[in-house]
Amino acid sequence: MIGTDLAIIAAGERDRGGTQGVIRELVSLRSYSRTCLTRSGRPAYRFLALFDNDKAGQQAVRAATALDTSIVEFRDVFRLHPHMPTSGNLDPKTLQKAFERENLAYKGLNWELEDLLPNHFFDLLVQDHPSAVIRADKVADKVHWELTRDGKALLRKMIRQFGTHADLSATIAVLKAFHFYCSIAKRQ
């Protein structure tokens, strides 16, 4: 779907995952990447991090860039937004402006990976398990679904059972955007 030169590495499960796990893995992998070089002396692998665009994700981006000052937002670390820009030869400042411009209508909206799924999955979840949803926040045409831990597990199970390629199109678009960001990072 997106090529063979992009891999996703999970930060870990439960207490080993989350924003701290992503930061830990990013810093470690970036350090290791300096030991595997191309013939031109550049790292053969590029590692980027993706955080949810919620309070924890915003704090994690600040923590990652403070921990390692070579980490730059909109080049090395990203927060998930409803629209992930994928055009142009962009430097981090230009990419930041594109993110802000394309997501202006959603300013202040928390956005997590599960929010990329079609709303009919959440409607079914609320219908069958009303306590799985803490709240739904709508801004413009997008809805952020705040789920309980059990709600996230139930949603994951529903997607595995009933999800189609079309249901995952927004998630695939994010992967394609990340592929684009990796190509930008390689050129810099």
Side-chain angles (χ1 to χ4, degrees), residues 3-77:
T4 59
D5 57 347
L6 179 68
I8 298 170
I9 301 169
E13 294 183 16
R14 295 180 183 79
D15 293 338
R16 298 287 300 159
T19 58
Q20 293 300 317
V22 173
I23 293 169
R24 181 187 63 249
E25 293 299 319
L26 177 64
V27 171
S28 297
L29 292 168
R30 282 172 52 90
S31 294
Y32 295 141
S33 74
R34 294 181 187 109
T35 65
C36 185
L37 305 177
T38 64
R39 290 181 188 194
S40 65
R42 297 181 68 133
Y45 301 100
R46 182 85 177 117
F47 295 96
L48 309 179
L50 178 63
F51 296 97
D52 289 336
N53 192 20
D54 56 8
K55 185 176 179 182
Q58 293 162 10
Q59 290 174 340
V61 167
R62 285 193 297 275
T65 57
L67 180 64
D68 181 343
T69 57
S70 72
I71 295 174
V72 176
E73 186 174 12
F74 299 103
R75 186 190 70 200
D76 305 303
V77 291

Side-chain angles (χ1 to χ4, degrees), residues 8-183:
I8 298 170
I9 301 169
E13 294 183 16
R14 295 180 183 79
D15 293 338
R16 298 287 300 159
T19 58
Q20 293 300 317
V22 173
I23 293 169
R24 181 187 63 249
E25 293 299 319
L26 177 64
V27 171
S28 297
L29 292 168
R30 282 172 52 90
S31 294
Y32 295 141
S33 74
R34 294 181 187 109
T35 65
C36 185
L37 305 177
T38 64
R39 290 181 188 194
S40 65
R42 297 181 68 133
Y45 301 100
R46 182 85 177 117
F47 295 96
L48 309 179
L50 178 63
F51 296 97
D52 289 336
N53 192 20
D54 56 8
K55 185 176 179 182
Q58 293 162 10
Q59 290 174 340
V61 167
R62 285 193 297 275
T65 57
L67 180 64
D68 181 343
T69 57
S70 72
I71 295 174
V72 176
E73 186 174 12
F74 299 103
R75 186 190 70 200
D76 305 303
V77 291
F78 294 84
R79 287 177 286 129
L80 185 66
H81 287 76
H83 293 285
M84 304 288 283
T86 58
S87 62
N89 186 6
L90 305 171
D91 66 15
K93 294 286 184 198
T94 306
L95 188 55
Q96 178 179 0
K97 289 177 184 173
F99 265 83
E100 290 167 357
R101 182 179 58 252
E102 292 188 27
N103 290 286
L104 187 60
Y106 312 111
K107 191 172 176 101
L109 179 67
N110 283 350
W111 198 247
E112 298 178 4
L113 194 60
E114 55 267 24
D115 296 324
L116 297 169
L117 297 169
N119 285 333
H120 66 265
F121 283 104
F122 296 97
D123 294 339
L124 289 171
L125 185 64
V126 169
Q127 181 181 332
D128 294 344
H129 306 279
S131 64
V133 177
I134 297 169
R135 71 177 179 280
D137 299 322
K138 184 173 184 178
V139 174
D141 62 335
K142 302 293 183 189
V143 180
H144 163 63
W145 297 89
E146 191 68 34
L147 304 177
T148 64
R149 185 178 296 253
D150 289 342
K152 288 186 181 210
L154 289 166
L155 181 65
R156 189 171 36 249
K157 184 178 177 182
M158 284 174 48
I159 296 302
R160 284 186 177 149
Q161 285 182 313
F162 307 112
T164 66
H165 186 272
D167 294 328
L168 299 175
S169 63
T171 305
I172 294 166
V174 169
L175 294 173
K176 289 180 178 180
F178 236 65
H179 192 265
F180 174 71
Y181 306 147
C182 285
S183 68

